[in-house]
Amino acid sequence: MAYSDKVLDHYNNPRNVGSLDKDSDAVGTGVVGAPECGDVMKLQIQVEGDTIVDAKFKTFGCGSAIASSSLATEWIKGKKLDEALEIKNTEIVEELALPPVKIHCSVLAEDAIKAAVADFKSKKNKDE
Amino acid sequence: MTRPIYLDYQATTPVDPRVLDTMLPYFRECFGNAASRSHAYGWEAEKAVDEARGKIASLIGASPKEIVFTSGSTESINLALKGAAEMYGSRGRHIITSQAEHKAVLDTCKHLEKQGFEVTYLAPDDKGRHSAEQVAEALRDDTILVAIMWANNEIGTLNPVREIGALCHERGVLYFCDATQAVGKVPVDVQADGIDLLCLSAHKIYGPKGVGCLYVRRRNPRVRLVAQMDGGGHERGMRSGTLNVPGIVGLGAACELCEQELEADATHSRELRERFEKRIFSELDHVYVNGDPEHRLPGCSNLSFAYVEGESLIMGIPDLAVSSGSACTSASLEPSHVLQSMGVGDELAHSSIRFGFGRPTTTEEVDRAAEQIISAVKKLRELSPLYEMVQEGIDLSTVNWTSH
């Protein structure tokens, strides 16, 4: 299977790999997918006010899944929470030129962003 | 660009130069039709085919008259299963096979089910192996055929063929054995092994693609098949169609070399595999062998690298030509049916890679391959949330995953 140059670039030089302190109130963590499906994404955001100041990911999955999550962290950094939630999987598909069989990877990345934001918000609501 | 290191010998093999040399005259001056009885072109082609038949028969302990040439194992499987079912369907309608068989067997069996046959698909054990006892338990009064492969193409597990053959003969049931991966790699003797029908393919044993054969037993019992290809009545009426003379000559030469070099080939590939696995296991944790460590094809190593997905691993080793049991490389999203049938969890099936070592493989290639695998797995595990969780002591089976 031929991969687009952008997928290869993200696979070979993944951006923002790593982990943030998941117990911190300023960090939201989203884990989506399942090992038996061959894809698990963990995406974390560090928030100040309502701005995402840092984002990290780790992904178990094919090259397209790794590239989708790497791209997602790149896009959400510096964005406000509401702006991050507006990112659509179709934009990831377009940017990475994903073939139809890999669209689920972009869906997973969108889900991971939403899950991380939801986790952050639920922590904040508990505090208030 | 240098070509990738080829480690996919279960998929296909290069034509041995010695095999190619024997074939070339039959493309050029000796181009005759083996069925032409009226001139020298036909006679020399027929002679070449007969010689090849003898070499193939010798490798598997058959008589030359028991060899039916085909286009390869898929065709041989179709002829054996459909041809026997049609011939003996009035005697019984039950067939026994394995869930780990090649798709050519499974899909042919599904076809026969639509024709009113009943098929039992035995599940192998966790090493991919069947026992004769398991087959015995599945036998019924109306069983006409057992189809259990010799060596599995994905994991290399070897079945106890001789015991299954003895059982089938004792019970008067035909035994078809797909030996595509076994011939030339392990000793095969259709007499001692009690096999009635057996297929093999030239391109798996350093011969050309597009040619293979079906062994059809002529005595004790005499096996009859209904032809699936009608026409000029070639191959004693079992497979019509002008013989692929250069291909058949190549298959014969490939079998002759296998007979001479079987032991050396097996030792060579076994040593390379041991060297490779030793390297991998000394550098990486959480690596599992899929298959039977004791009963395994010498040149096959199917490994699961836990917490790393197979397709991403293949992306990380562009200098190696290997196969993945992972779903994502093929059009379907299902992981390998062979690994599933053995009860390998889907997550480990997604992490599996098959490495094959063959006659031309060198220790240098094996060392380079191991090195590249180790570095790619390490890199991907740094990226893997699952590996991180396991390092933190989390039991992945207790996690509530959001499957999609």
Side-chain angles (χ1 to χ4, degrees):
Chain A
M1 192 186 301
Y3 297 95
S4 70
D5 289 345
K6 281 183 179 161
V7 168
L8 284 174
D9 179 37
H10 278 280
Y11 174 84
N12 288 318
N13 312 290
R15 332 286 201 255
N16 307 308
V17 176
S19 298
L20 300 168
D21 177 9
K22 62 177 182 293
D23 297 324
S24 159
D25 283 348
V27 170
T29 301
V31 179
V32 296
E36 62 267 27
C37 304
D39 295 297
V40 175
M41 282 182 194
K42 185 188 80 166
L43 190 146
Q44 294 183 301
I45 52 173
Q46 174 131 19
V47 184
E48 276 176 33
D50 63 349
T51 302
I52 298 169
V53 294
D54 199 5
K56 296 277 182 207
F57 87 96
K58 284 200 175 191
T59 289
F60 162 82
C62 64
S64 303
I66 290 169
S68 295
S69 39
S70 169
L71 178 68
T73 58
E74 214 172 32
W75 277 358
I76 60 177
K77 254 198 198 179
K79 280 206 167 64
K80 301 222 180 287
L81 290 172
D82 290 346
E83 291 168 348
L85 289 174
E86 278 168 21
I87 293 172
K88 292 275 174 299
N89 81 290
T90 48
E91 298 168 63
I92 295 170
V93 171
E94 207 174 311
E95 174 69 16
L96 296 175
L98 297 181
V101 292
K102 297 297 181 187
I103 287 173
H104 70 277
C105 299
S106 68
V107 174
L108 212 55
E110 183 189 320
D111 290 350
I113 298 172
K114 294 200 159 74
V117 172
D119 181 56
F120 171 76
K121 284 184 174 168
S122 77
K123 280 183 181 170
K124 209 171 144 200
N125 289 341
K126 243 184 254 166
D127 292 346
E128 279 164 5
Chain B
M1 187 195 124
T2 55
R3 297 173 67 76
I5 298 172
Y6 189 78
L7 296 174
D8 204 9
Y9 286 91
Q10 278 75 43
T12 194
T13 61
V15 175
D16 189 301
R18 295 168 289 180
V19 170
L20 183 62
D21 287 344
T22 65
M23 293 171 66
L24 290 175
Y26 296 92
F27 287 107
R28 294 182 180 136
E29 58 273 24
C30 312
F31 60 85
N33 186 331
S36 296
R37 294 280 153 82
S38 50
H39 50 68
Y41 292 86
W43 302 332
E44 68 189 359
E46 191 188 20
K47 184 166 168 275
V49 167
D50 285 345
E51 277 173 19
R53 223 185 272 283
K55 291 171 183 171
I56 298 156
S58 166
L59 178 64
I60 62 170
S63 106
K65 283 183 179 164
E66 296 175 311
I67 303 298
V68 174
F69 289 112
T70 65
S71 61
S73 278
T74 293
E75 187 193 336
S76 296
I77 289 165
N78 272 265
L79 173 56
L81 298 182
K82 291 175 183 170
E86 244 183 271
M87 181 60 76
Y88 299 104
S90 57
R91 199 183 285 177
R93 309 289 285 177
H94 182 232
I95 294 167
I96 296 170
T97 188
S98 157
Q99 294 173 14
E101 290 288 310
H102 192 274
K103 285 282 181 199
V105 170
L106 295 176
D107 285 358
T108 303
C109 283
K110 282 192 194 115
H111 176 92
L112 290 170
E113 280 183 292
K114 281 186 208 139
Q115 313 277 310
F117 287 88
E118 213 183 309
V119 182
T120 300
Y121 299 90
L122 298 175
D125 66 16
D126 60 356
K127 296 181 174 71
R129 205 157 187 260
H130 295 278
S131 67
E133 292 76 42
Q134 186 194 20
V135 177
E137 276 169 33
L139 281 174
R140 309 192 318 210
D141 290 341
D142 62 340
T143 307
I144 51 170
L145 182 69
V146 169
I148 303 278
M149 71 199 325
W150 199 308
N152 186 277
N153 51 303
E154 288 189 28
I155 52 173
T157 296
L158 302 167
N159 278 308
V161 167
R162 192 165 289 196
E163 291 165 32
I164 296 171
L167 167 77
C168 289
H169 274 204
E170 189 190 303
R171 299 286 293 268
V173 175
L174 292 181
Y175 179 32
F176 165 67
C177 183
D178 172 1
T180 310
Q181 296 288 346
V183 165
K185 321 276 167 40
V186 296
V188 171
D189 180 343
V190 290
Q191 291 307 333
D193 296 318
I195 296 167
D196 300 308
L197 294 157
L198 173 144
C199 68
L200 62 94
S201 193
H203 78 102
K204 306 288 192 192
I205 53 173
Y206 311 99
K209 291 168 184 61
V211 60
C213 71
L214 179 66
Y215 156 79
V216 184
R217 178 178 285 277
R218 296 237 305 170
R219 303 175 73 178
N220 307 319
R222 179 187 181 88
V223 179
R224 296 166 68 209
L225 299 175
V226 174
Q228 302 297 306
M229 189 77 80
D230 296 312
H234 307 76
E235 299 299 273
R236 292 181 293 119
M238 278 191 263
R239 203 278 196 175
S240 289
T242 298
L243 292 180
N244 169 7
V245 177
I248 288 166
V249 167
L251 173 56
C255 285
E256 188 177 33
L257 287 175
C258 281
E259 193 171 354
Q260 290 161 2
E261 299 180 4
L262 191 134
E263 231 169 281
D265 277 348
T267 306
H268 174 68
S269 43
R270 187 180 296 108
E271 282 173 0
L272 292 177
R273 183 186 66 195
E274 280 166 5
R275 184 184 179 97
F276 177 77
E277 290 185 349
K278 205 172 150 198
R279 292 245 162 158
I280 297 285
F281 284 106
S282 69
E283 290 275 342
L284 297 172
D285 54 0
H286 302 290
V287 181
Y288 306 95
V289 175
N290 297 309
D292 193 323
E294 216 181 311
H295 307 281
R296 189 159 52 140
L297 272 182
C300 182
S301 175
N302 187 312
L303 303 179
S304 279
F305 300 89
Y307 321 122
V308 169
E309 193 273 336
E311 186 188 333
S312 67
L313 180 51
I314 284 187
M315 262 180 99
I317 46 170
D319 295 333
L320 307 183
V322 295
S323 255
S324 165
S326 164
C328 295
T329 45
S330 58
S332 86
L333 288 174
E334 284 297 306
S336 141
H337 74 277
V338 173
L339 297 178
Q340 280 186 321
S341 73
M342 298 157 57
V344 172
D346 282 359
E347 65 266 40
L348 277 181
H350 280 297
S351 304
S352 78
I353 306 264
R354 181 187 66 190
F355 302 90
F357 310 98
R359 196 180 281 165
T361 310
T362 64
T363 50
E364 218 183 335
E365 287 179 322
V366 165
D367 290 350
R368 267 162 60 204
E371 211 173 282
Q372 289 177 26
I373 283 281
I374 289 161
S375 99
V377 169
K378 283 185 174 166
K379 183 188 154 189
L380 286 166
R381 281 185 175 167
E382 272 169 43
L383 268 178
S384 170
L386 305 179
Y387 192 64
E388 181 183 61
M389 290 162 106
V390 169
Q391 301 300 100
E392 286 168 3
I394 297 170
D395 178 355
L396 295 181
S397 63
T398 64
V399 177
N400 190 15
W401 302 105
T402 57
S403 38
H404 53 289

